[in-house]
Amino acid sequence: MYLEDMSWVEVNEYVQKKCCRAIMVPIGAYEEHGPHLPIKTDIFISTKICEIVAEKLDLPVAPPIGFGLCRSTREFPGTFSFEISTFLSLLVDYFSNLINFGFSKLFIVTWHTGKLHLCILRESILKSMERWLNRNLSFYLFTANDLLQEIPKDINENLVHGGRIETSIMLYLDRKSVKLEFLKDSLDCSTDIDNHLVLRSWRKYIPEGYKGNPLAASYDEGKYLFNKIVKYVENEIRKRISSDHS
């Protein structure tokens, strides 16, 4: 169930009756993912994970946060990025609203994993806990980096932005939004970049906006990967809410 579909009375009844007072929080970004994937890719995948896990565990899903920090891709049309202070304030106020409603256990899923994005996300969690010191709060963060550890090494890519993994998952979840015909060729578009080089933008080095080989993607692989990820998140959250019912 989505929080946005509930009335204030239903929200109040939920947090009063549920001993775990848990909620799923999808976070992502509207960001370019190459010429073949939609800019909604990150927030779409995060939301779908939350949606399916929440249904299995009878948890509500908070309104998705589809904005984040995307400095390396912000020169591409379609990428939304915000100042650090803006994003931090947004997250802290957002979490504070959920806490004020009565939720005390937040399970956050973010498919967007930019280093700065994750840093500010973690900082917002700490600030939220400091703001509500009188509450017994628990925040759990599931990132795409964590979830990809569940994927077999023969499939996993070091560089996943718009590559085989994300393209496979989107083929499974939303086939009509994937436009493989927009790819120029089957070459792996992942120019070697010095790991010590601080980049202002990817566009000079990765002009097509993706890394890896999306033409190696498939619907069946996407189904396998996504369901494996969902099962992992479900099991991890189930363990963390089961103690509240014992």
Side-chain angles (χ1 to χ4, degrees), residues 182-213:
F182 285 7
L183 293 170
K184 292 182 177 179
D185 51 46
S186 60
L187 294 177
D188 187 317
C189 186
S190 55
T191 305
D192 289 334
I193 300 175
D194 187 339
N195 290 329
H196 299 288
L197 178 63
V198 178
L199 294 178
R200 184 180 64 83
S201 171
W202 277 1
R203 196 159 189 181
K204 175 181 176 182
Y205 298 91
I206 308 171
E208 293 298 309
Y210 70 91
K211 300 177 180 179
N213 183 12

Side-chain angles (χ1 to χ4, degrees), residues 144-192:
N145 292 333
D146 303 322
L147 304 180
L148 291 176
Q149 298 303 310
E150 296 301 303
I151 293 175
K153 294 188 181 298
D154 63 322
I155 298 176
N156 207 339
E157 299 174 314
N158 291 324
L159 304 173
V160 300
H161 189 79
R164 174 180 173 180
I165 292 173
E166 287 188 325
T167 303
S168 290
I169 291 175
M170 288 302 290
L171 281 171
Y172 171 59
L173 295 177
D174 191 25
R175 177 65 185 87
K176 67 181 185 301
S177 72
V178 181
K179 305 174 180 65
L180 294 177
E181 66 273 16
F182 285 7
L183 293 170
K184 292 182 177 179
D185 51 46
S186 60
L187 294 177
D188 187 317
C189 186
S190 55
T191 305
D192 289 334

Side-chain angles (χ1 to χ4, degrees), residues 88-103:
L88 179 60
S89 295
L90 169 67
L91 290 173
V92 173
D93 288 346
Y94 176 94
F95 293 145
S96 290
N97 275 282
L98 293 178
I99 295 166
N100 191 49
F101 299 158
F103 293 103

Side-chain angles (χ1 to χ4, degrees), residues 11-239:
V11 174
N12 187 59
E13 288 179 349
Y14 179 87
V15 296
Q16 293 299 323
K17 292 179 180 179
K18 291 286 186 177
C19 54
C20 70
R21 297 185 176 185
I23 190 167
M24 302 283 298
V25 182
I27 297 180
Y30 288 109
E31 177 189 32
E32 70 79 25
H33 279 74
H36 60 297
L37 292 181
I39 62 172
K40 71 176 182 179
T41 295
D42 283 344
I43 188 58
F44 186 78
I45 295 175
S46 293
T47 302
K48 283 295 183 181
I49 293 171
C50 288
E51 178 183 292
I52 296 174
V53 172
E55 184 176 359
K56 291 176 179 291
L57 300 179
D58 191 27
L59 300 175
V61 179
I65 300 178
F67 299 105
L69 298 176
C70 308
R71 288 196 168 184
S72 59
T73 59
R74 61 185 174 183
E75 288 190 1
F76 289 89
T79 294
F80 286 82
S81 188
F82 293 83
E83 293 296 327
I84 292 175
S85 58
T86 303
F87 186 52
L88 179 60
S89 295
L90 169 67
L91 290 173
V92 173
D93 288 346
Y94 176 94
F95 293 145
S96 290
N97 275 282
L98 293 178
I99 295 166
N100 191 49
F101 299 158
F103 293 103
S104 58
K105 189 165 287 191
L106 281 62
F107 293 100
I108 303 164
V109 176
T110 177
W111 193 259
H112 179 61
T113 56
K115 292 180 181 179
L116 186 58
H117 175 90
L118 291 180
C119 179
I120 300 305
L121 178 51
R122 289 189 171 92
E123 177 67 13
S124 72
I125 292 171
L126 294 176
K127 284 188 173 295
S128 297
M129 296 175 75
E130 291 170 358
R131 179 181 286 188
W132 296 87
L133 287 173
N134 61 328
R135 298 285 186 92
N136 183 20
L137 303 174
S138 298
F139 288 79
Y140 299 92
L141 179 59
F142 296 85
T143 74
N145 292 333
D146 303 322
L147 304 180
L148 291 176
Q149 298 303 310
E150 296 301 303
I151 293 175
K153 294 188 181 298
D154 63 322
I155 298 176
N156 207 339
E157 299 174 314
N158 291 324
L159 304 173
V160 300
H161 189 79
R164 174 180 173 180
I165 292 173
E166 287 188 325
T167 303
S168 290
I169 291 175
M170 288 302 290
L171 281 171
Y172 171 59
L173 295 177
D174 191 25
R175 177 65 185 87
K176 67 181 185 301
S177 72
V178 181
K179 305 174 180 65
L180 294 177
E181 66 273 16
F182 285 7
L183 293 170
K184 292 182 177 179
D185 51 46
S186 60
L187 294 177
D188 187 317
C189 186
S190 55
T191 305
D192 289 334
I193 300 175
D194 187 339
N195 290 329
H196 299 288
L197 178 63
V198 178
L199 294 178
R200 184 180 64 83
S201 171
W202 277 1
R203 196 159 189 181
K204 175 181 176 182
Y205 298 91
I206 308 171
E208 293 298 309
Y210 70 91
K211 300 177 180 179
N213 183 12
L215 289 178
S218 71
Y219 172 95
D220 289 339
E221 184 170 279
K223 180 179 180 180
Y224 166 76
L225 295 175
F226 183 75
N227 289 330
K228 190 173 181 64
I229 288 169
V230 165
K231 189 62 179 177
Y232 169 78
V233 176
E234 177 192 348
N235 289 340
E236 291 298 308
I237 293 179
R238 191 184 295 276
K239 287 189 293 187

